[in-house]
Amino acid sequence: MSLPLWFDPEEILIGGAWHKTQVCLPVECPSDGREMAQIARGGKPEIDAAVEAAQAALAGEWGQLSAAERGRLLLKMSGLVLAHAEDLAVIEALDVGKPLTQARADVAALARYLEFYGGAADKVMGETIPYLNGYTAYTLREPHGVTAHIVPWNYPMQIIGRSVAAALAMGNAAVVKPAEEASLTALAFGRIAQEAGMPAGALNIVPGLGEEAGAALSAHPGIQHISFTGSVAVGQHIQAAAAANAVPVTLELGGKSPQLVFTDADLDRALPFLVNAGIQNAGQTCSASSRILVQRSRYDEVLEKMAARYRGLTAGPALGDHDLGPLISGRQKEIVEGYLALASDLTIAAQGRIAEDVPAGGHYVAPTLIGGGHGAHRLAQEEIFGPAQIVIPFEDEEEAVAIANGTEYGLVASVWSENGGRTMRLARRLRAGQVFLNNYGAGGGVELPFGGIGKSGHGREKGFEALYGFSTLKTVAAWHG
Ligand code: NDP
């Protein structure tokens, strides 16, 4: 199936107009390796122009809109996302390699982000502060100004939704640099913003290479906030660039998220979560649960039940809507296969299969369940970003917490136990930005603040927290006698 594009993917959005660049980048379909399209390769000149356009938007029409008007615009965009839903889902599925059902869920999430932040735009308030006699003191929440959004390839629509919608709701202007491997729905998002009547320059989309467009954007002195999702190495680079301009940065850098299964867990409820959290989007999810910690008395049972599920999993082309698709690229496949080779001193408990008829050029990896693990193993320490999970036994709560907290990361954790006291206790002891009790992910709620500690990053996205992050607080103290 060809891409259902209703726009020219070689054009980039700057200052409300679509432009071409001199050079383009090929767009590979991860399901079969063929070139599907080309996208523009923006660089420093385009980033400079986009930042200038964003500044002009803040000084012009966009900066004059009321919070309610900004909210209405986002709500209109939400409706338009749903009107384009099937095309967006097919584009995302083909571009990222994710199963169509997952891509449809990502479209729904994008629409929901726009709806949530559209509704919230005029509900973020300052406070009045009881102060000295003769004064009235209060706070104002104001936009930072021009915000940079550097987006990865694993969930382009969801990540644009969560960062750009919140930034625009607060009245910032945005310059988006999508990932070179998956820029198409970011470009579609730009078209939808225009269709909704977004003032020129409020939203600018400049695809290109990380080391060109991404580096130019993060180092630009005209940027007042950077939001980045991706690898730790690039995140550190971005933070250094932000430090050079002394601007705030939100980093979301992935994790090694554990699920803790205790003897008294409701295993029938837990099992689908245990497995799906590892193989969703072929494991290329920042909040993937790649470590399953099981109390020893039920370790064999959990491993075998998970193994049975793994044996029924199939990886295949995105539009075939299998359990999982291919990985994003040959490079990512190599990284993941390199990790799987490290399992030689452990047990491969089970593998799913790759569908027989997959095209030779696709980047497929069979989902792999690894048993006999221990907390110090590299597979239990490093982010694999592929469809693999390691199962690790533990004796008691103390050991479970030590293993769970024993990595550099801290994004998500979950506890499976029917003992309410234990779940509440562990919710406090686990080092993670989100803890789920007897579930994993809670349906991905837009309302739930999300972000990491340690090498998983800092700053919070989603919920109202994102609106606070995308604004700065001004204190006003008036003396009136
Ligand atoms: P990156 O961190 O390289 O990519 C994320 C984004 O940063 C992309 O838009 C990328 O651009 C951009 N970028 C790259 N280099 C720079 C730079 N010097 N300055 C500014 N922006 C830059 O991730 P990869 O695609 O290389 O994936 C590698 C690993 O990162 C994965 O195996 C996984 O472990 C982790 N990762 C984590 C994600 C998460 O959700 N937390 C998402 C993606 C990856 P471009 O792609 O165009 O080069």
Side-chain angles (χ1 to χ4, degrees), residues 150-154 159 177-181 208-211 214-215 218 228-232 234-235 237-238 252-254 285-286 331-332 335 383-385:
I150 300 177
V151 177
W153 42 261
N154 54 345
I159 291 170
K177 205 302 280 178
E180 71 195 73
E181 281 110 338
L209 300 177
E211 59 271 25
S218 52
F228 171 81
T229 303
S231 62
V232 175
V234 176
H237 193 76
I238 301 274
E252 203 273 85
L253 309 178
T285 304
C286 50
R331 184 178 73 113
Q332 192 62 25
I335 294 174
E383 186 173 49
I384 300 171
F385 231 59

Side-chain angles (χ1 to χ4, degrees), residues 119-422:
D122 58 355
K123 293 164 192 73
V124 180
M125 297 171 201
E127 293 178 324
T128 53
I129 304 170
Y131 195 51
L132 301 175
N133 281 342
Y135 283 91
T136 296
Y138 58 96
T139 58
L140 298 170
R141 286 247 163 227
E142 297 185 337
H144 291 294
V146 182
T147 55
H149 304 260
I150 300 177
V151 177
W153 42 261
N154 54 345
Y155 289 85
M157 279 192 292
Q158 287 219 33
I159 291 170
I160 284 174
R162 83 180 182 207
S163 78
V164 176
L168 293 175
M170 285 311 297
N172 299 282
V175 179
V176 181
K177 205 302 280 178
E180 71 195 73
E181 281 110 338
S183 286
L184 294 174
T185 51
L187 294 164
F189 185 78
R191 298 282 170 173
I192 285 170
Q194 279 203 310
E195 214 179 316
M198 182 70 67
L203 172 67
N204 306 274
I205 316 270
V206 184
L209 300 177
E211 59 271 25
E212 294 177 1
L217 180 58
S218 52
H220 201 292
I223 293 293
Q224 277 87 41
H225 181 284
I226 305 176
S227 175
F228 171 81
T229 303
S231 62
V232 175
V234 176
Q236 288 167 328
H237 193 76
I238 301 274
Q239 181 149 358
N245 287 318
V247 296
V249 57
T250 300
L251 298 180
E252 203 273 85
L253 309 178
K256 195 71 199 168
S257 299
Q259 300 196 60
L260 279 57
V261 185
F262 285 85
T263 304
D264 60 356
D266 176 351
L267 209 51
D268 289 340
R269 177 172 161 76
L271 265 171
F273 289 91
L274 295 179
V275 173
N276 292 348
I279 57 119
Q280 179 177 313
N281 207 30
Q284 304 165 116
T285 304
C286 50
S287 55
S289 176
S290 52
R291 294 187 296 156
I292 307 296
L293 280 45
V294 187
Q295 197 156 20
R296 199 174 289 280
S297 56
R298 287 191 90 177
Y299 175 79
D300 290 341
E301 180 193 357
V302 172
L303 188 64
E304 183 40 46
K305 285 187 167 161
M306 287 185 72
R309 284 187 171 253
Y310 261 75
R311 288 183 205 108
L313 295 173
T314 306
L319 296 188
D321 213 18
H322 298 272
D323 301 300
L324 56 157
L327 299 189
I328 184 75
S329 62
R331 184 178 73 113
Q332 192 62 25
K333 184 179 171 190
E334 251 174 57
I335 294 174
V336 172
E337 287 177 341
Y339 273 116
L340 292 179
L342 297 176
S344 55
D345 58 339
L346 304 174
T347 314
I348 302 295
Q351 278 195 306
R353 62 183 199 100
I354 296 171
E356 287 82 39
D357 55 345
V358 295
H363 310 302
Y364 300 95
V365 171
T368 304
L369 184 69
I370 300 160
H374 57 88
H377 197 282
R378 272 187 69 192
L379 289 172
Q381 288 288 321
E382 296 176 22
E383 186 173 49
I384 300 171
F385 231 59
Q389 290 176 296
I390 181 165
V391 188
I392 303 170
F394 66 83
E395 291 300 334
D396 54 19
E397 226 173 277
E398 279 311 307
E399 194 187 7
V401 170
I403 298 172
N405 289 347
T407 74
E408 293 182 314
Y409 293 103
L411 191 59
V412 171
S414 98
V415 182
W416 295 93
S417 168
E418 295 294 291
N419 178 336
R422 185 197 332 261

